[in-house]
Amino acid sequence: MSKQLVEKLNLLIADFTVFYQKLRHYHWNVKGEQFFMLHEKFEEVYTEVGDVIDGLAERIVGLEGTPLHTLGHMLEATSLKEDEELPAPFKMVERTVADIDSLNKNLLEAIEMGEDAGDRTPVNLLDEIHDGLEAH
């Protein structure tokens, strides 16, 4: 079961890596009346996401797996889409919320896999990540 869990955690790394870059894109390019609030919020979230990626990779290594480590492999594995547009601020927020919903769905699937395997360590990590996303 740990091999399947490693694969699922790698998919999460891919998703969170794309999400991280999308948040940076929005942080760099947000304009308008909501600039200061959104600029700060995007930075807050991508900083947390960077820590999430690191925690997932460390857990994969702990399960004797190898974390995805090339952007090409991550783009092949991700369920999220990059955003090549320069959307309006409200669209940035809308797309961020949609990505969080998708990430939470994938996190819940991984939590279930960990619980089925009786492995509390990744479940605890994933629960914490899920709680963090829910807060946003």
Side-chain angles (χ1 to χ4, degrees), residues 8-23 49 52-53 56 68 73-82 99-100 102-107 109:
K8 188 64 171 179
L9 294 176
N10 264 323
L11 293 176
L12 286 168
I13 283 180
D15 284 348
F16 274 101
T17 298
V18 169
F19 185 56
Y20 172 87
Q21 188 56 37
K22 192 183 290 187
L23 290 167
V49 168
V52 165
I53 295 165
L56 290 169
L68 289 178
H73 287 130
M74 290 184 200
L75 288 173
E76 289 174 10
T78 188
S79 66
L80 300 182
K81 295 190 185 314
E82 293 181 290
D99 285 348
I100 288 173
S102 180
L103 288 164
N104 273 329
K105 179 181 173 277
N106 290 335
L107 280 165
E109 290 171 4

PDB file of all heavy atoms in Angstrom, residues 8-23 49 52-53 56 68 73-82 99-100 102-107 109:
ATOM      1  N   LYS A   8       0.281   8.678  -4.791  1.00  0.00           N
ATOM      2  CA  LYS A   8      -0.721   9.710  -4.494  1.00  0.00           C
ATOM      3  C   LYS A   8      -0.052  10.967  -3.935  1.00  0.00           C
ATOM      4  O   LYS A   8      -0.409  12.088  -4.294  1.00  0.00           O
ATOM      5  CB  LYS A   8      -1.763   9.178  -3.510  1.00  0.00           C
ATOM      6  CG  LYS A   8      -2.935  10.101  -3.299  1.00  0.00           C
ATOM      7  CD  LYS A   8      -3.729  10.277  -4.585  1.00  0.00           C
ATOM      8  CE  LYS A   8      -5.017  11.026  -4.334  1.00  0.00           C
ATOM      9  NZ  LYS A   8      -5.774  11.222  -5.562  1.00  0.00           N
ATOM     10  N   LEU A   9       0.937  10.783  -3.058  1.00  0.00           N
ATOM     11  CA  LEU A   9       1.650  11.939  -2.502  1.00  0.00           C
ATOM     12  C   LEU A   9       2.416  12.678  -3.594  1.00  0.00           C
ATOM     13  O   LEU A   9       2.498  13.908  -3.591  1.00  0.00           O
ATOM     14  CB  LEU A   9       2.582  11.502  -1.374  1.00  0.00           C
ATOM     15  CG  LEU A   9       1.905  10.952  -0.118  1.00  0.00           C
ATOM     16  CD1 LEU A   9       2.948  10.452   0.879  1.00  0.00           C
ATOM     17  CD2 LEU A   9       0.978  11.965   0.522  1.00  0.00           C
ATOM     18  N   ASN A  10       2.962  11.939  -4.560  1.00  0.00           N
ATOM     19  CA  ASN A  10       3.642  12.587  -5.681  1.00  0.00           C
ATOM     20  C   ASN A  10       2.661  13.385  -6.536  1.00  0.00           C
ATOM     21  O   ASN A  10       3.007  14.461  -7.034  1.00  0.00           O
ATOM     22  CB  ASN A  10       4.399  11.569  -6.536  1.00  0.00           C
ATOM     23  CG  ASN A  10       5.854  11.473  -6.155  1.00  0.00           C
ATOM     24  OD1 ASN A  10       6.485  12.472  -5.822  1.00  0.00           O
ATOM     25  ND2 ASN A  10       6.402  10.275  -6.200  1.00  0.00           N
ATOM     26  N   LEU A  11       1.452  12.874  -6.705  1.00  0.00           N
ATOM     27  CA  LEU A  11       0.437  13.647  -7.429  1.00  0.00           C
ATOM     28  C   LEU A  11       0.120  14.937  -6.679  1.00  0.00           C
ATOM     29  O   LEU A  11      -0.082  15.988  -7.291  1.00  0.00           O
ATOM     30  CB  LEU A  11      -0.821  12.812  -7.635  1.00  0.00           C
ATOM     31  CG  LEU A  11      -0.686  11.614  -8.570  1.00  0.00           C
ATOM     32  CD1 LEU A  11      -1.989  10.819  -8.616  1.00  0.00           C
ATOM     33  CD2 LEU A  11      -0.277  12.044  -9.969  1.00  0.00           C
ATOM     34  N   LEU A  12       0.090  14.849  -5.356  1.00  0.00           N
ATOM     35  CA  LEU A  12      -0.130  16.052  -4.553  1.00  0.00           C
ATOM     36  C   LEU A  12       1.024  17.032  -4.700  1.00  0.00           C
ATOM     37  O   LEU A  12       0.803  18.244  -4.781  1.00  0.00           O
ATOM     38  CB  LEU A  12      -0.352  15.688  -3.082  1.00  0.00           C
ATOM     39  CG  LEU A  12      -1.707  15.064  -2.764  1.00  0.00           C
ATOM     40  CD1 LEU A  12      -1.709  14.485  -1.353  1.00  0.00           C
ATOM     41  CD2 LEU A  12      -2.823  16.080  -2.934  1.00  0.00           C
ATOM     42  N   ILE A  13       2.244  16.525  -4.740  1.00  0.00           N
ATOM     43  CA  ILE A  13       3.394  17.413  -4.962  1.00  0.00           C
ATOM     44  C   ILE A  13       3.230  18.129  -6.300  1.00  0.00           C
ATOM     45  O   ILE A  13       3.459  19.340  -6.396  1.00  0.00           O
ATOM     46  CB  ILE A  13       4.734  16.647  -4.913  1.00  0.00           C
ATOM     47  CG1 ILE A  13       5.107  16.343  -3.473  1.00  0.00           C
ATOM     48  CG2 ILE A  13       5.852  17.444  -5.588  1.00  0.00           C
ATOM     49  CD1 ILE A  13       6.408  15.593  -3.309  1.00  0.00           C
ATOM     50  N   ALA A  14       2.844  17.397  -7.327  1.00  0.00           N
ATOM     51  CA  ALA A  14       2.657  18.014  -8.642  1.00  0.00           C
ATOM     52  C   ALA A  14       1.574  19.087  -8.579  1.00  0.00           C
ATOM     53  O   ALA A  14       1.763  20.203  -9.082  1.00  0.00           O
ATOM     54  CB  ALA A  14       2.298  16.938  -9.670  1.00  0.00           C
ATOM     55  N   ASP A  15       0.444  18.758  -7.954  1.00  0.00           N
ATOM     56  CA  ASP A  15      -0.648  19.733  -7.850  1.00  0.00           C
ATOM     57  C   ASP A  15      -0.239  20.962  -7.052  1.00  0.00           C
ATOM     58  O   ASP A  15      -0.505  22.094  -7.463  1.00  0.00           O
ATOM     59  CB  ASP A  15      -1.875  19.089  -7.195  1.00  0.00           C
ATOM     60  CG  ASP A  15      -2.641  18.171  -8.134  1.00  0.00           C
ATOM     61  OD1 ASP A  15      -2.381  18.185  -9.353  1.00  0.00           O
ATOM     62  OD2 ASP A  15      -3.512  17.433  -7.633  1.00  0.00           O
ATOM     63  N   PHE A  16       0.418  20.743  -5.919  1.00  0.00           N
ATOM     64  CA  PHE A  16       0.810  21.884  -5.094  1.00  0.00           C
ATOM     65  C   PHE A  16       1.895  22.723  -5.768  1.00  0.00           C
ATOM     66  O   PHE A  16       1.945  23.944  -5.573  1.00  0.00           O
ATOM     67  CB  PHE A  16       1.254  21.427  -3.693  1.00  0.00           C
ATOM     68  CG  PHE A  16       0.119  21.269  -2.733  1.00  0.00           C
ATOM     69  CD1 PHE A  16      -0.393  20.010  -2.444  1.00  0.00           C
ATOM     70  CD2 PHE A  16      -0.459  22.368  -2.121  1.00  0.00           C
ATOM     71  CE1 PHE A  16      -1.457  19.851  -1.561  1.00  0.00           C
ATOM     72  CE2 PHE A  16      -1.529  22.229  -1.244  1.00  0.00           C
ATOM     73  CZ  PHE A  16      -2.032  20.970  -0.957  1.00  0.00           C
ATOM     74  N   THR A  17       2.741  22.102  -6.579  1.00  0.00           N
ATOM     75  CA  THR A  17       3.776  22.857  -7.292  1.00  0.00           C
ATOM     76  C   THR A  17       3.147  23.764  -8.346  1.00  0.00           C
ATOM     77  O   THR A  17       3.516  24.942  -8.473  1.00  0.00           O
ATOM     78  CB  THR A  17       4.807  21.909  -7.924  1.00  0.00           C
ATOM     79  OG1 THR A  17       5.443  21.169  -6.870  1.00  0.00           O
ATOM     80  CG2 THR A  17       5.857  22.662  -8.714  1.00  0.00           C
ATOM     81  N   VAL A  18       2.175  23.246  -9.073  1.00  0.00           N
ATOM     82  CA  VAL A  18       1.477  24.077 -10.061  1.00  0.00           C
ATOM     83  C   VAL A  18       0.690  25.178  -9.351  1.00  0.00           C
ATOM     84  O   VAL A  18       0.690  26.334  -9.781  1.00  0.00           O
ATOM     85  CB  VAL A  18       0.566  23.209 -10.960  1.00  0.00           C
ATOM     86  CG1 VAL A  18      -0.363  24.069 -11.811  1.00  0.00           C
ATOM     87  CG2 VAL A  18       1.431  22.310 -11.846  1.00  0.00           C
ATOM     88  N   PHE A  19       0.042  24.827  -8.248  1.00  0.00           N
ATOM     89  CA  PHE A  19      -0.703  25.816  -7.467  1.00  0.00           C
ATOM     90  C   PHE A  19       0.231  26.913  -6.954  1.00  0.00           C
ATOM     91  O   PHE A  19      -0.081  28.103  -7.040  1.00  0.00           O
ATOM     92  CB  PHE A  19      -1.411  25.108  -6.313  1.00  0.00           C
ATOM     93  CG  PHE A  19      -2.320  25.975  -5.497  1.00  0.00           C
ATOM     94  CD1 PHE A  19      -3.350  26.695  -6.075  1.00  0.00           C
ATOM     95  CD2 PHE A  19      -2.169  26.050  -4.121  1.00  0.00           C
ATOM     96  CE1 PHE A  19      -4.212  27.485  -5.312  1.00  0.00           C
ATOM     97  CE2 PHE A  19      -3.017  26.822  -3.341  1.00  0.00           C
ATOM     98  CZ  PHE A  19      -4.038  27.547  -3.943  1.00  0.00           C
ATOM     99  N   TYR A  20       1.393  26.519  -6.452  1.00  0.00           N
ATOM    100  CA  TYR A  20       2.400  27.462  -5.959  1.00  0.00           C
ATOM    101  C   TYR A  20       2.766  28.468  -7.052  1.00  0.00           C
ATOM    102  O   TYR A  20       2.772  29.681  -6.825  1.00  0.00           O
ATOM    103  CB  TYR A  20       3.637  26.688  -5.495  1.00  0.00           C
ATOM    104  CG  TYR A  20       4.820  27.546  -5.137  1.00  0.00           C
ATOM    105  CD1 TYR A  20       4.967  28.057  -3.854  1.00  0.00           C
ATOM    106  CD2 TYR A  20       5.816  27.823  -6.067  1.00  0.00           C
ATOM    107  CE1 TYR A  20       6.063  28.836  -3.506  1.00  0.00           C
ATOM    108  CE2 TYR A  20       6.907  28.601  -5.740  1.00  0.00           C
ATOM    109  CZ  TYR A  20       7.026  29.106  -4.460  1.00  0.00           C
ATOM    110  OH  TYR A  20       8.112  29.877  -4.139  1.00  0.00           O
ATOM    111  N   GLN A  21       3.055  27.943  -8.240  1.00  0.00           N
ATOM    112  CA  GLN A  21       3.478  28.841  -9.317  1.00  0.00           C
ATOM    113  C   GLN A  21       2.332  29.739  -9.770  1.00  0.00           C
ATOM    114  O   GLN A  21       2.542  30.907 -10.093  1.00  0.00           O
ATOM    115  CB  GLN A  21       4.039  28.049 -10.503  1.00  0.00           C
ATOM    116  CG  GLN A  21       4.669  28.935 -11.549  1.00  0.00           C
ATOM    117  CD  GLN A  21       5.774  29.827 -10.994  1.00  0.00           C
ATOM    118  OE1 GLN A  21       6.544  29.444 -10.124  1.00  0.00           O
ATOM    119  NE2 GLN A  21       5.853  31.057 -11.494  1.00  0.00           N
ATOM    120  N   LYS A  22       1.122  29.204  -9.765  1.00  0.00           N
ATOM    121  CA  LYS A  22      -0.030  30.020 -10.147  1.00  0.00           C
ATOM    122  C   LYS A  22      -0.226  31.159  -9.139  1.00  0.00           C
ATOM    123  O   LYS A  22      -0.499  32.299  -9.521  1.00  0.00           O
ATOM    124  CB  LYS A  22      -1.286  29.151 -10.223  1.00  0.00           C
ATOM    125  CG  LYS A  22      -2.454  29.852 -10.885  1.00  0.00           C
ATOM    126  CD  LYS A  22      -3.715  29.010 -10.896  1.00  0.00           C
ATOM    127  CE  LYS A  22      -3.624  27.834 -11.810  1.00  0.00           C
ATOM    128  NZ  LYS A  22      -4.923  27.119 -11.928  1.00  0.00           N
ATOM    129  N   LEU A  23      -0.048  30.872  -7.867  1.00  0.00           N
ATOM    130  CA  LEU A  23      -0.171  31.911  -6.840  1.00  0.00           C
ATOM    131  C   LEU A  23       0.903  32.983  -7.009  1.00  0.00           C
ATOM    132  O   LEU A  23       0.635  34.174  -6.834  1.00  0.00           O
ATOM    133  CB  LEU A  23      -0.093  31.296  -5.439  1.00  0.00           C
ATOM    134  CG  LEU A  23      -1.279  30.444  -5.024  1.00  0.00           C
ATOM    135  CD1 LEU A  23      -0.940  29.640  -3.779  1.00  0.00           C
ATOM    136  CD2 LEU A  23      -2.519  31.301  -4.806  1.00  0.00           C
ATOM    137  N   VAL A  49       2.302  27.036   0.907  1.00  0.00           N
ATOM    138  CA  VAL A  49       2.317  25.937  -0.056  1.00  0.00           C
ATOM    139  C   VAL A  49       3.749  25.425  -0.253  1.00  0.00           C
ATOM    140  O   VAL A  49       3.966  24.217  -0.402  1.00  0.00           O
ATOM    141  CB  VAL A  49       1.658  26.355  -1.385  1.00  0.00           C
ATOM    142  CG1 VAL A  49       1.921  25.347  -2.494  1.00  0.00           C
ATOM    143  CG2 VAL A  49       0.161  26.541  -1.180  1.00  0.00           C
ATOM    144  N   VAL A  52       4.286  23.051   2.393  1.00  0.00           N
ATOM    145  CA  VAL A  52       3.507  21.834   2.140  1.00  0.00           C
ATOM    146  C   VAL A  52       4.268  20.907   1.194  1.00  0.00           C
ATOM    147  O   VAL A  52       4.381  19.707   1.431  1.00  0.00           O
ATOM    148  CB  VAL A  52       2.116  22.188   1.556  1.00  0.00           C
ATOM    149  CG1 VAL A  52       1.437  20.966   0.958  1.00  0.00           C
ATOM    150  CG2 VAL A  52       1.239  22.821   2.622  1.00  0.00           C
ATOM    151  N   ILE A  53       4.796  21.464   0.114  1.00  0.00           N
ATOM    152  CA  ILE A  53       5.540  20.675  -0.864  1.00  0.00           C
ATOM    153  C   ILE A  53       6.717  19.992  -0.185  1.00  0.00           C
ATOM    154  O   ILE A  53       6.963  18.793  -0.392  1.00  0.00           O
ATOM    155  CB  ILE A  53       6.000  21.557  -2.043  1.00  0.00           C
ATOM    156  CG1 ILE A  53       4.787  22.069  -2.826  1.00  0.00           C
ATOM    157  CG2 ILE A  53       6.965  20.797  -2.954  1.00  0.00           C
ATOM    158  CD1 ILE A  53       5.090  23.213  -3.778  1.00  0.00           C
ATOM    159  N   LEU A  56       5.503  17.104   2.040  1.00  0.00           N
ATOM    160  CA  LEU A  56       5.092  15.940   1.247  1.00  0.00           C
ATOM    161  C   LEU A  56       6.314  15.187   0.734  1.00  0.00           C
ATOM    162  O   LEU A  56       6.360  13.949   0.786  1.00  0.00           O
ATOM    163  CB  LEU A  56       4.213  16.386   0.073  1.00  0.00           C
ATOM    164  CG  LEU A  56       2.825  16.899   0.421  1.00  0.00           C
ATOM    165  CD1 LEU A  56       2.177  17.557  -0.800  1.00  0.00           C
ATOM    166  CD2 LEU A  56       1.948  15.773   0.962  1.00  0.00           C
ATOM    167  N   LEU A  68       8.688  13.483  -6.866  1.00  0.00           N
ATOM    168  CA  LEU A  68       8.836  14.109  -8.179  1.00  0.00           C
ATOM    169  C   LEU A  68       9.732  15.330  -8.006  1.00  0.00           C
ATOM    170  O   LEU A  68       9.610  16.055  -7.021  1.00  0.00           O
ATOM    171  CB  LEU A  68       7.484  14.557  -8.723  1.00  0.00           C
ATOM    172  CG  LEU A  68       6.518  13.482  -9.180  1.00  0.00           C
ATOM    173  CD1 LEU A  68       5.211  14.118  -9.649  1.00  0.00           C
ATOM    174  CD2 LEU A  68       7.108  12.640 -10.289  1.00  0.00           C
ATOM    175  N   HIS A  73       7.911  16.403 -15.157  1.00  0.00           N
ATOM    176  CA  HIS A  73       7.154  15.304 -14.555  1.00  0.00           C
ATOM    177  C   HIS A  73       5.956  15.830 -13.757  1.00  0.00           C
ATOM    178  O   HIS A  73       4.895  15.211 -13.731  1.00  0.00           O
ATOM    179  CB  HIS A  73       8.054  14.449 -13.663  1.00  0.00           C
ATOM    180  CG  HIS A  73       9.006  13.605 -14.439  1.00  0.00           C
ATOM    181  ND1 HIS A  73      10.353  13.576 -14.163  1.00  0.00           N
ATOM    182  CD2 HIS A  73       8.817  12.775 -15.495  1.00  0.00           C
ATOM    183  CE1 HIS A  73      10.948  12.760 -15.016  1.00  0.00           C
ATOM    184  NE2 HIS A  73      10.041  12.265 -15.838  1.00  0.00           N
ATOM    185  N   MET A  74       6.147  16.955 -13.120  1.00  0.00           N
ATOM    186  CA  MET A  74       5.033  17.525 -12.350  1.00  0.00           C
ATOM    187  C   MET A  74       3.904  17.978 -13.266  1.00  0.00           C
ATOM    188  O   MET A  74       2.731  17.762 -12.964  1.00  0.00           O
ATOM    189  CB  MET A  74       5.531  18.667 -11.470  1.00  0.00           C
ATOM    190  CG  MET A  74       6.389  18.150 -10.344  1.00  0.00           C
ATOM    191  SD  MET A  74       6.878  19.454  -9.242  1.00  0.00           S
ATOM    192  CE  MET A  74       8.282  18.692  -8.458  1.00  0.00           C
ATOM    193  N   LEU A  75       4.257  18.587 -14.382  1.00  0.00           N
ATOM    194  CA  LEU A  75       3.226  19.032 -15.323  1.00  0.00           C
ATOM    195  C   LEU A  75       2.493  17.843 -15.938  1.00  0.00           C
ATOM    196  O   LEU A  75       1.299  17.932 -16.230  1.00  0.00           O
ATOM    197  CB  LEU A  75       3.833  19.925 -16.404  1.00  0.00           C
ATOM    198  CG  LEU A  75       4.247  21.305 -15.929  1.00  0.00           C
ATOM    199  CD1 LEU A  75       5.007  22.049 -17.031  1.00  0.00           C
ATOM    200  CD2 LEU A  75       3.050  22.112 -15.466  1.00  0.00           C
ATOM    201  N   GLU A  76       3.195  16.722 -16.128  1.00  0.00           N
ATOM    202  CA  GLU A  76       2.544  15.510 -16.628  1.00  0.00           C
ATOM    203  C   GLU A  76       1.585  14.930 -15.588  1.00  0.00           C
ATOM    204  O   GLU A  76       0.542  14.390 -15.937  1.00  0.00           O
ATOM    205  CB  GLU A  76       3.588  14.451 -16.992  1.00  0.00           C
ATOM    206  CG  GLU A  76       4.393  14.753 -18.223  1.00  0.00           C
ATOM    207  CD  GLU A  76       5.508  13.745 -18.455  1.00  0.00           C
ATOM    208  OE1 GLU A  76       5.556  12.697 -17.765  1.00  0.00           O
ATOM    209  OE2 GLU A  76       6.350  14.010 -19.322  1.00  0.00           O
ATOM    210  N   ALA A  77       1.938  15.035 -14.319  1.00  0.00           N
ATOM    211  CA  ALA A  77       1.190  14.376 -13.250  1.00  0.00           C
ATOM    212  C   ALA A  77       0.045  15.210 -12.677  1.00  0.00           C
ATOM    213  O   ALA A  77      -0.909  14.658 -12.147  1.00  0.00           O
ATOM    214  CB  ALA A  77       2.146  13.993 -12.120  1.00  0.00           C
ATOM    215  N   THR A  78       0.113  16.516 -12.788  1.00  0.00           N
ATOM    216  CA  THR A  78      -0.841  17.377 -12.087  1.00  0.00           C
ATOM    217  C   THR A  78      -2.267  17.263 -12.616  1.00  0.00           C
ATOM    218  O   THR A  78      -2.483  16.991 -13.801  1.00  0.00           O
ATOM    219  CB  THR A  78      -0.391  18.859 -12.142  1.00  0.00           C
ATOM    220  OG1 THR A  78      -1.239  19.619 -11.292  1.00  0.00           O
ATOM    221  CG2 THR A  78      -0.444  19.413 -13.556  1.00  0.00           C
ATOM    222  N   SER A  79      -3.205  17.493 -11.730  1.00  0.00           N
ATOM    223  CA  SER A  79      -4.611  17.573 -12.134  1.00  0.00           C
ATOM    224  C   SER A  79      -5.035  19.031 -12.294  1.00  0.00           C
ATOM    225  O   SER A  79      -6.141  19.304 -12.757  1.00  0.00           O
ATOM    226  CB  SER A  79      -5.507  16.884 -11.099  1.00  0.00           C
ATOM    227  OG  SER A  79      -5.474  17.568  -9.868  1.00  0.00           O
ATOM    228  N   LEU A  80      -4.162  19.969 -11.911  1.00  0.00           N
ATOM    229  CA  LEU A  80      -4.461  21.395 -12.045  1.00  0.00           C
ATOM    230  C   LEU A  80      -3.954  21.912 -13.384  1.00  0.00           C
ATOM    231  O   LEU A  80      -3.075  21.313 -13.997  1.00  0.00           O
ATOM    232  CB  LEU A  80      -3.817  22.193 -10.909  1.00  0.00           C
ATOM    233  CG  LEU A  80      -4.228  21.836  -9.488  1.00  0.00           C
ATOM    234  CD1 LEU A  80      -3.530  22.758  -8.499  1.00  0.00           C
ATOM    235  CD2 LEU A  80      -5.728  21.882  -9.312  1.00  0.00           C
ATOM    236  N   LYS A  81      -4.486  23.030 -13.790  1.00  0.00           N
ATOM    237  CA  LYS A  81      -4.050  23.661 -15.030  1.00  0.00           C
ATOM    238  C   LYS A  81      -3.259  24.928 -14.704  1.00  0.00           C
ATOM    239  O   LYS A  81      -3.614  25.667 -13.796  1.00  0.00           O
ATOM    240  CB  LYS A  81      -5.255  24.030 -15.890  1.00  0.00           C
ATOM    241  CG  LYS A  81      -6.039  22.832 -16.387  1.00  0.00           C
ATOM    242  CD  LYS A  81      -7.043  23.269 -17.423  1.00  0.00           C
ATOM    243  CE  LYS A  81      -7.948  22.166 -17.897  1.00  0.00           C
ATOM    244  NZ  LYS A  81      -7.405  20.931 -18.240  1.00  0.00           N
ATOM    245  N   GLU A  82      -2.207  25.139 -15.482  1.00  0.00           N
ATOM    246  CA  GLU A  82      -1.500  26.404 -15.370  1.00  0.00           C
ATOM    247  C   GLU A  82      -2.412  27.516 -15.870  1.00  0.00           C
ATOM    248  O   GLU A  82      -3.371  27.260 -16.596  1.00  0.00           O
ATOM    249  CB  GLU A  82      -0.234  26.385 -16.222  1.00  0.00           C
ATOM    250  CG  GLU A  82       0.823  25.418 -15.742  1.00  0.00           C
ATOM    251  CD  GLU A  82       2.044  25.488 -16.621  1.00  0.00           C
ATOM    252  OE1 GLU A  82       1.975  25.046 -17.778  1.00  0.00           O
ATOM    253  OE2 GLU A  82       3.053  26.013 -16.148  1.00  0.00           O
ATOM    254  N   ASP A  99      -9.008  25.794  -7.345  1.00  0.00           N
ATOM    255  CA  ASP A  99      -7.830  24.948  -7.126  1.00  0.00           C
ATOM    256  C   ASP A  99      -7.807  24.403  -5.703  1.00  0.00           C
ATOM    257  O   ASP A  99      -7.466  23.235  -5.486  1.00  0.00           O
ATOM    258  CB  ASP A  99      -6.544  25.716  -7.415  1.00  0.00           C
ATOM    259  CG  ASP A  99      -6.287  25.916  -8.906  1.00  0.00           C
ATOM    260  OD1 ASP A  99      -6.981  25.270  -9.726  1.00  0.00           O
ATOM    261  OD2 ASP A  99      -5.390  26.713  -9.234  1.00  0.00           O
ATOM    262  N   ILE A 100      -8.161  25.221  -4.741  1.00  0.00           N
ATOM    263  CA  ILE A 100      -8.202  24.752  -3.346  1.00  0.00           C
ATOM    264  C   ILE A 100      -9.223  23.627  -3.209  1.00  0.00           C
ATOM    265  O   ILE A 100      -8.955  22.617  -2.550  1.00  0.00           O
ATOM    266  CB  ILE A 100      -8.489  25.911  -2.375  1.00  0.00           C
ATOM    267  CG1 ILE A 100      -7.253  26.818  -2.273  1.00  0.00           C
ATOM    268  CG2 ILE A 100      -8.884  25.385  -0.993  1.00  0.00           C
ATOM    269  CD1 ILE A 100      -7.470  28.101  -1.479  1.00  0.00           C
ATOM    270  N   SER A 102     -10.119  21.504  -5.511  1.00  0.00           N
ATOM    271  CA  SER A 102      -9.520  20.327  -6.147  1.00  0.00           C
ATOM    272  C   SER A 102      -8.434  19.713  -5.268  1.00  0.00           C
ATOM    273  O   SER A 102      -8.360  18.484  -5.107  1.00  0.00           O
ATOM    274  CB  SER A 102      -8.938  20.722  -7.508  1.00  0.00           C
ATOM    275  OG  SER A 102      -8.355  19.624  -8.143  1.00  0.00           O
ATOM    276  N   LEU A 103      -7.591  20.563  -4.697  1.00  0.00           N
ATOM    277  CA  LEU A 103      -6.540  20.077  -3.801  1.00  0.00           C
ATOM    278  C   LEU A 103      -7.143  19.360  -2.593  1.00  0.00           C
ATOM    279  O   LEU A 103      -6.659  18.301  -2.187  1.00  0.00           O
ATOM    280  CB  LEU A 103      -5.650  21.237  -3.345  1.00  0.00           C
ATOM    281  CG  LEU A 103      -4.719  21.821  -4.402  1.00  0.00           C
ATOM    282  CD1 LEU A 103      -4.203  23.183  -3.952  1.00  0.00           C
ATOM    283  CD2 LEU A 103      -3.576  20.875  -4.702  1.00  0.00           C
ATOM    284  N   ASN A 104      -8.189  19.937  -2.021  1.00  0.00           N
ATOM    285  CA  ASN A 104      -8.827  19.308  -0.860  1.00  0.00           C
ATOM    286  C   ASN A 104      -9.419  17.950  -1.213  1.00  0.00           C
ATOM    287  O   ASN A 104      -9.328  17.003  -0.435  1.00  0.00           O
ATOM    288  CB  ASN A 104      -9.885  20.225  -0.253  1.00  0.00           C
ATOM    289  CG  ASN A 104      -9.289  21.173   0.755  1.00  0.00           C
ATOM    290  OD1 ASN A 104      -8.309  20.850   1.430  1.00  0.00           O
ATOM    291  ND2 ASN A 104      -9.881  22.335   0.880  1.00  0.00           N
ATOM    292  N   LYS A 105     -10.002  17.824  -2.387  1.00  0.00           N
ATOM    293  CA  LYS A 105     -10.544  16.537  -2.843  1.00  0.00           C
ATOM    294  C   LYS A 105      -9.426  15.499  -2.913  1.00  0.00           C
ATOM    295  O   LYS A 105      -9.562  14.377  -2.420  1.00  0.00           O
ATOM    296  CB  LYS A 105     -11.215  16.708  -4.199  1.00  0.00           C
ATOM    297  CG  LYS A 105     -11.782  15.433  -4.783  1.00  0.00           C
ATOM    298  CD  LYS A 105     -12.414  15.722  -6.147  1.00  0.00           C
ATOM    299  CE  LYS A 105     -12.836  14.459  -6.841  1.00  0.00           C
ATOM    300  NZ  LYS A 105     -11.750  13.798  -7.548  1.00  0.00           N
ATOM    301  N   ASN A 106      -8.313  15.878  -3.508  1.00  0.00           N
ATOM    302  CA  ASN A 106      -7.179  14.957  -3.629  1.00  0.00           C
ATOM    303  C   ASN A 106      -6.561  14.643  -2.265  1.00  0.00           C
ATOM    304  O   ASN A 106      -6.117  13.519  -2.023  1.00  0.00           O
ATOM    305  CB  ASN A 106      -6.134  15.524  -4.586  1.00  0.00           C
ATOM    306  CG  ASN A 106      -6.627  15.521  -6.017  1.00  0.00           C
ATOM    307  OD1 ASN A 106      -7.497  14.738  -6.391  1.00  0.00           O
ATOM    308  ND2 ASN A 106      -6.083  16.407  -6.829  1.00  0.00           N
ATOM    309  N   LEU A 107      -6.528  15.623  -1.385  1.00  0.00           N
ATOM    310  CA  LEU A 107      -6.027  15.388  -0.028  1.00  0.00           C
ATOM    311  C   LEU A 107      -6.904  14.379   0.712  1.00  0.00           C
ATOM    312  O   LEU A 107      -6.385  13.472   1.373  1.00  0.00           O
ATOM    313  CB  LEU A 107      -5.974  16.698   0.764  1.00  0.00           C
ATOM    314  CG  LEU A 107      -4.788  17.597   0.510  1.00  0.00           C
ATOM    315  CD1 LEU A 107      -5.055  18.993   1.063  1.00  0.00           C
ATOM    316  CD2 LEU A 107      -3.527  17.016   1.111  1.00  0.00           C
ATOM    317  N   GLU A 109      -8.717  12.024  -0.551  1.00  0.00           N
ATOM    318  CA  GLU A 109      -8.456  10.698  -1.116  1.00  0.00           C
ATOM    319  C   GLU A 109      -7.162  10.109  -0.544  1.00  0.00           C
ATOM    320  O   GLU A 109      -7.103   8.928  -0.206  1.00  0.00           O
ATOM    321  CB  GLU A 109      -8.363  10.773  -2.639  1.00  0.00           C
ATOM    322  CG  GLU A 109      -9.677  11.053  -3.320  1.00  0.00           C
ATOM    323  CD  GLU A 109      -9.527  11.329  -4.813  1.00  0.00           C
ATOM    324  OE1 GLU A 109      -8.401  11.229  -5.360  1.00  0.00           O
ATOM    325  OE2 GLU A 109     -10.555  11.658  -5.448  1.00  0.00           O
TER     326      GLU A 109
END
